Amino acid sequence: LRDVAGRKWKRFRVRLCVLLVIAFLCFLLIVGFGSHTDGHTEEFQSPDTKIVLASVTVADRNPSLHAKVPAEDPLSELKRLLNERCNSPPVLEKQLISSKEGRLSGVEKYELALVQVVTRHGDRSPIYDVPLGNPRAFRCPEEKEYLSTRRAEVTGSCSRAILTLDGCRQHQLIGRHLQKAYGFVKEDIESKMLVVSTGMQRTVRSALCLVSGLVGHSGYNQVMKTTSVMFQDSAIRYSKYAKSCQGRDKLWGLLHNEIGFQRTKVQWERVRSKVNRFLSGLGAAPVQDVVHLFDSVVCHYCHLYSSGVHASITPCIGEQCLTVSSAVEIVHAADLATKHNYDPRISVVLIQPLLGMIVSKMEDWISGSMKNHFVLYSGHDTTMTALLSALEAFDGHRPPYAARVVFELWKAKKERNSHLVRVLYNGRVIQSSLINKSMSFALFKKRILSGYLRDPASYESACLKGSW
């Protein structure tokens, strides 16, 4: 009896093991199949309907690396996302009401010494040659009509990357706000103002529009007579060493090999490939970068849809338009791409010349060698993103049109050589691991110039030698 019971128990254990092995193999097959599917559906409907591109799923357990495509009401989500990026004059005007520029706690003990403002240009026509973007549909005025009191109704005149009327109005609003916040006197500020810009039409005209709001000029000729623009492409847009910086290239290689970057790259590449299938079906050329798609979606919404020129909320080719859910995916994928392309370790290399210039202007003012009270740096989204990332204040979203970072230098009224620095992004005081709500100039300088590099001279050395 014992032998029979033993044999039965042995057979039971063998069968149990076999069942467990089969169950494990089935589990592996299911997981393997799931990881090779894209997690989305793709439908091509009749010519008079839109393409359906549903959500893309990445095989990644880290939720921070996923594009956050909402399960419900994608239309509301898209409008919220794009309104934040457009920063239209009515939206900007409301935001400026609660802005904190010039509102220093304990201001009775200090007086304003120097204000430096870094801005992104205003609303513009599409910059990339994408089938979904048509700059000829945008309204861009003649150069002298930007600051005209009448509304210039110019249709179909834009080439690529040209500032629109709304783009000018955004900066005029900011100029008026800064004048009110800091109490600049028109006659005084005209002689104590420095304007620095990249050589692009959209940045130069944005700067002139901001100045017109700041000093109260209404005519283009007036602004041109009183405003001298210094061109500094290398400092504001890219470091003069950046294109041949071995240190930057070394960091790029390390970052691009990180698992997180590779997984995120899969995300935006899937979105791009799906949209390219849509374009291919219509005989259009493929798009090389998801950021190019993002630019098309944002420009279309901010200018054509919002102004009533186009009835579709998303860009189209003929009667075929991207669905709302597709546009939401593109916006999130572009944010992911930006977050990884502007890692703080890279951004500090790109933006160090501009930060060095900002600190240098503060030093010159403190030493008495500079009399300017206001310095404007007119740049791009690349400028703003790298700057915010280097200050450890980047929120992961591409900066909107007419975004601004303000550096305030305050002087103590009763103490010699006592100065405070405050940094604000779009009217909100920045507080990060690098920047305090308000901090002494000495601490600000130390953290900015030595937080990543041992000293200012090591910047060039690091780029040329390829080591930090």
Side-chain angles (χ1 to χ4, degrees), residues 186-419:
K186 174 183 173 181
E187 292 74 20
D188 184 48
I189 195 63
E190 283 183 341
S191 62
K192 296 181 179 179
M193 174 173 55
L194 175 64
V195 179
V196 186
S197 174
T198 63
M200 303 293 183
Q201 180 266 9
R202 58 192 181 276
T203 54
V204 174
R205 290 186 182 177
S206 290
L208 294 176
C209 291
L210 191 150
V211 170
S212 74
L214 184 71
V215 301
H217 287 331
S218 59
Y220 179 83
N221 290 333
Q222 268 188 307
V223 174
M224 288 301 294
K225 285 179 181 178
T226 58
T227 307
S228 177
V229 180
M230 180 189 301
F231 297 105
Q232 284 282 351
D233 282 81
S234 60
I236 298 180
R237 195 172 191 192
Y238 301 108
S239 155
K240 68 178 181 178
Y241 304 109
K243 292 183 179 179
S244 59
C245 177
Q246 297 176 37
R248 184 203 66 163
D249 293 341
K250 181 179 179 180
L251 283 172
W252 266 120
L254 293 173
L255 291 175
H256 282 210
N257 288 328
E258 289 181 352
I259 294 176
F261 180 88
Q262 294 298 326
R263 288 173 174 171
T264 306
K265 187 176 180 181
V266 170
Q267 173 76 18
W268 71 68
E269 284 299 321
R270 282 179 175 172
V271 173
R272 184 181 68 87
S273 66
K274 289 301 175 182
V275 176
N276 278 341
R277 290 177 191 172
F278 164 57
L279 296 176
S280 177
L282 298 176
V287 176
Q288 301 302 316
D289 194 320
V290 72
V291 173
H292 298 183
L293 292 169
F294 170 82
D295 183 71
S296 177
V297 169
V298 171
C299 287
H300 176 92
Y301 181 88
C302 296
H303 192 84
L304 300 183
Y305 174 76
S306 297
S307 62
V309 174
H310 204 290
S312 172
I313 196 172
T314 58
C316 312
I317 298 179
E319 297 298 321
Q320 298 279 2
C321 305
L322 286 175
T323 59
V324 169
S325 60
S326 303
V328 171
E329 290 176 5
I330 289 170
V331 173
H332 285 302
D335 279 344
L336 285 174
T338 301
K339 181 179 179 180
H340 282 269
N341 287 337
Y342 287 90
D343 183 282
R345 291 166 287 181
I346 293 294
S347 295
V348 69
V349 181
L350 296 174
I351 210 65
Q352 190 71 16
L354 177 58
L355 282 173
M357 186 183 299
I358 290 170
V359 172
S360 177
K361 297 297 183 189
M362 292 181 181
E363 287 183 312
D364 291 344
W365 198 96
I366 292 171
S367 67
S369 60
M370 187 184 82
K371 300 301 181 182
N372 297 107
H373 286 308
F374 181 80
V375 182
L376 171 64
Y377 306 91
S378 185
H380 305 261
D381 59 343
T382 53
T383 309
M384 303 299 294
T385 307
L387 178 59
L388 291 168
S389 179
L391 296 176
E392 298 182 10
F394 181 50
D395 61 5
H397 301 300
R398 296 177 71 85
Y401 291 130
R404 66 192 186 280
V405 174
V406 177
F407 294 83
E408 299 175 345
L409 178 67
W410 296 81
K411 175 186 176 182
K413 293 179 179 179
K414 297 183 179 180
E415 299 178 43
R416 291 190 61 187
N417 298 322
S418 177
H419 297 83

Side-chain angles (χ1 to χ4, degrees), residues 36-105:
H36 286 85
T37 58
D38 290 338
H40 57 265
T41 58
E42 180 181 12
E43 301 175 16
F44 289 88
Q45 300 182 357
S46 59
D48 60 339
T49 57
K50 301 178 181 179
I51 184 174
V52 176
L53 298 177
S55 62
V56 177
T57 303
V58 177
D60 178 15
R61 297 182 184 275
N62 187 346
S64 65
L65 298 179
H66 284 276
K68 299 178 181 178
V69 182
E72 298 179 0
D73 196 11
L75 180 60
S76 297
E77 173 74 358
L78 180 63
K79 287 184 176 181
R80 182 184 63 79
L81 290 171
L82 295 184
N83 282 331
E84 291 173 356
R85 271 84 173 167
C86 294
N87 203 20
S88 64
V91 172
L92 176 60
E93 198 164 14
K94 290 180 181 178
Q95 181 246 84
L96 291 173
I97 295 174
S98 59
S99 294
K100 302 298 182 183
E101 284 101 342
R103 302 180 186 179
L104 178 68
S105 177

Side-chain angles (χ1 to χ4, degrees), residues 62-209:
N62 187 346
S64 65
L65 298 179
H66 284 276
K68 299 178 181 178
V69 182
E72 298 179 0
D73 196 11
L75 180 60
S76 297
E77 173 74 358
L78 180 63
K79 287 184 176 181
R80 182 184 63 79
L81 290 171
L82 295 184
N83 282 331
E84 291 173 356
R85 271 84 173 167
C86 294
N87 203 20
S88 64
V91 172
L92 176 60
E93 198 164 14
K94 290 180 181 178
Q95 181 246 84
L96 291 173
I97 295 174
S98 59
S99 294
K100 302 298 182 183
E101 284 101 342
R103 302 180 186 179
L104 178 68
S105 177
V107 68
E108 65 279 355
K109 298 179 181 179
Y110 294 88
E111 60 184 2
L112 185 67
L114 175 65
V115 176
Q116 299 186 77
V117 182
V118 184
T119 66
R120 183 192 176 188
H121 58 75
D123 179 78
R124 57 156 171 76
S125 59
I127 193 171
Y128 299 107
D129 187 14
V130 178
L132 292 167
N134 179 18
R136 302 299 297 176
F138 283 66
R139 292 198 303 268
C140 292
E142 296 294 328
E143 186 172 4
K144 293 185 179 182
E145 291 181 315
Y146 274 97
L147 303 178
S148 175
T149 54
R150 68 180 182 85
R151 183 174 178 84
E153 294 293 344
V154 183
T155 303
S157 63
C158 270
S159 55
R160 297 200 176 277
I162 299 298
L163 189 73
T164 65
L165 283 170
D166 277 349
C168 181
R169 290 192 181 96
Q170 288 168 328
H171 283 274
Q172 285 179 310
L173 286 171
I174 292 173
R176 294 187 193 113
H177 164 71
L178 295 177
Q179 196 283 329
K180 183 179 180 181
Y182 297 114
F184 293 128
V185 179
K186 174 183 173 181
E187 292 74 20
D188 184 48
I189 195 63
E190 283 183 341
S191 62
K192 296 181 179 179
M193 174 173 55
L194 175 64
V195 179
V196 186
S197 174
T198 63
M200 303 293 183
Q201 180 266 9
R202 58 192 181 276
T203 54
V204 174
R205 290 186 182 177
S206 290
L208 294 176
C209 291

